[in-house]
Every structure is written in structure tokens, then in C-alpha cells.
């Protein structure tokens, strides 16, 4: 157990819908990263937040957005869902003094039908 | 942008055999290198990391990796695998922007 928690574990929804994935980082970690793992794209970085501020964006679609709240938990919002959005979404966190070392949560498996 | 390539898609071996997984990256600057393992149905776990210093790094579960700067490589090794090492292994790199760039992963199947 890395100490990073994610909810829900599984999510099944229909095309066109909107979902919110939640992540709580390890105690003391200020950074939260979101990654998508799919069969065709592999593991891809989506976005990085540090202490509430967006720090970097990767291959994140415009239909996706994220935020980090004052209590440091983060939410990833996925809207207008398409079949191709089906994937495992991982959150990771890191300490301010060790920003390069990321610890991953258990992931949320999203299935779009 | 950095990219990571892992040479083997799927490796099958018997218990007690030695394992070596190749990883090459492309990035001209200073990088940090990682190997993560993902056991079936579980999340990514950090096996080992290299930031600087001794290019031979030891991780958990008897794994080690060697950084060869001239070859842009960071190969993972284990002298004697166990059935419980069956998993997917990912090489990853990050540079100054903190994001991790992952290789495609290598599935390792250890037969009892």
C-alpha cells in the first residue's frame, strides 16, 4: 500500500457522460500527478498539480480537466466520454523534497459502454 | 521530449533463471531513471531508482539495475527469479519537469 488512495475502484458509464475520479495523496505530499493506462497508448502522463496549482500538462484531452483542492486531494473530471476513454487512471504523489519519486495509487478502472 | 523503449514485450522463463530486461531512453540532459513493477490487478510499485552516483543500484525483492550513460541504458536484472516475480515491468524516465515517461512495459511470466 503506497498511501495514495483513489476512488472509485471501478466505474462503468455510457458514452457522452461525465465522471469524476478522486485521489488523495500520501500525507505530506504536495504534488499530485494523473496518468492514463490504456492498451493502445500505454502509460501516459496527463497532468501535474503542486499545492493547488497546475504545473504541467501532458497528453490531456480538452474534455478532461483536473484540480487540486486546499486539502490537497485532487479530482480528474472526464466529460463527453467516448469508448476510447476506457482505461485505468492512476494518481501518483510525491514529496516536495523528492519530486522525482512518485508513488502510485491503486487506480480507477473506467469502462465506457 | 524524452522517450523510453523497452526491448522485450513478453519474457517467459523458469524459476531460478536469471532475468535481464532492457531499457533505453532518448534524452540529452540529466535524467532520473526508474523501474516500476505492476503485479496482476495491482498498482505500480517502485522497484528501484537512479538519480546519481553509483551506476549500479539495488532495489527491493533482489532486483538491481545498471545505468550506462554512454548507451543511454538502464537495464534491470535479477539473478534468480521466483514465480512471484510474474508481473509487468515498466522502465520510466523523468527530467526537470517531473513527469514520468514510461516504456511500453515488459510482461514477465515465470513458470514454476
Amino acid at each position: 500500500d503506497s498511501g495514495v488512495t483513489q476512488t472509485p475502484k471501478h466505474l462503468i458509464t455510457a458514452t457522452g457522460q461525465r465522471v469524476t475520479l478522486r485521489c488523495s495523496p500520501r500525507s505530506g505530499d504536495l504534488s499530485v500527478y494523473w496518468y492514463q493506462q490504456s492498451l493502445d497508448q500505454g502509460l501516459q502522463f496527463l497532468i501535474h498539480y503542486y499545492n493547488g496549482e497546475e504545473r504541467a500538462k501532458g497528453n490531456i484531452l480538452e474534455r478532461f480537466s483536473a484540480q487540486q483542492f486546499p486539502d490537497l486531494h485532487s479530482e480528474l473530471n472526464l466529460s463527453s466520454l467516448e469508448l476510447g476513454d476506457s482505461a485505468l487512471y492512476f494518481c501518483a504523489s510525491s514529496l516536495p523534497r523528492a519530486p522525482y519519486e512518485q508513488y502510485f495509487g491503486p487506480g480507477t478502472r473506467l469502462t465506457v459502454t | 521530449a524524452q522517450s523510453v523503449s523497452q526491448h522485450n514485450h513478453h519474457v517467459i522463463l523458469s524459476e531460478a533463471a536469471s532475468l535481464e530486461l532492457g531499457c533505453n531512453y532518448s534524452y540529452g540532459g540529466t535524467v532520473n531513471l526508474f523501474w516500476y513493477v505492476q503485479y496482476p490487478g495491482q498498482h505500480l510499485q517502485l522497484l528501484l531508482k537512479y538519480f546519481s552516483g553509483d551506476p549500479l543500484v539495488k532495489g527491493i525483492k533482489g532486483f538491481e539495475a545498471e545505468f550506462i550513460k554512454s548507451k543511454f541504458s538502464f537495464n534491470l536484472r535479477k539473478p534468480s527469479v521466483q514465480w512471484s516475480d510474474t508481473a509487468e515491468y515498466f522502465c520510466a524516465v523523468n527530467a526537470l519537469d517531473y513527469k514520468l515517461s514510461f516504456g511500453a512495459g515488459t510482461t514477465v511470466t515465470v513458470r514454476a
Side-chain angles (χ1 to χ4, degrees), chain A residues 34-36 41-47 56-62 64 85 89, chain B residues 1 99-101:
Chain A
W34 286 97
Y35 292 86
Q36 179 194 58
Q41 299 287 329
L43 264 162
Q44 300 241 326
F45 167 74
L46 295 178
I47 198 163
K57 264 186 176 179
N59 299 322
I60 187 166
L61 299 170
E62 284 192 15
F64 296 0
D85 298 326
Y89 291 84
Chain B
K99 71 172 190 181
L100 283 167
S101 296

Side-chain angles (χ1 to χ4, degrees), chain A residues 4-9 11 19-25 32 34 67 69 71-77 89-91 105-108:
Chain A
V4 179
T5 61
Q6 289 186 250
T7 56
K9 272 191 174 179
L11 203 47
V19 296
T20 297
L21 313 183
R22 183 188 168 103
C23 166
S24 292
V32 168
W34 286 97
Q67 52 184 325
F69 295 86
D71 67 352
L72 301 175
H73 91 271
S74 177
E75 292 181 356
L76 180 67
N77 300 296
Y89 291 84
F90 286 107
C91 163
T108 293

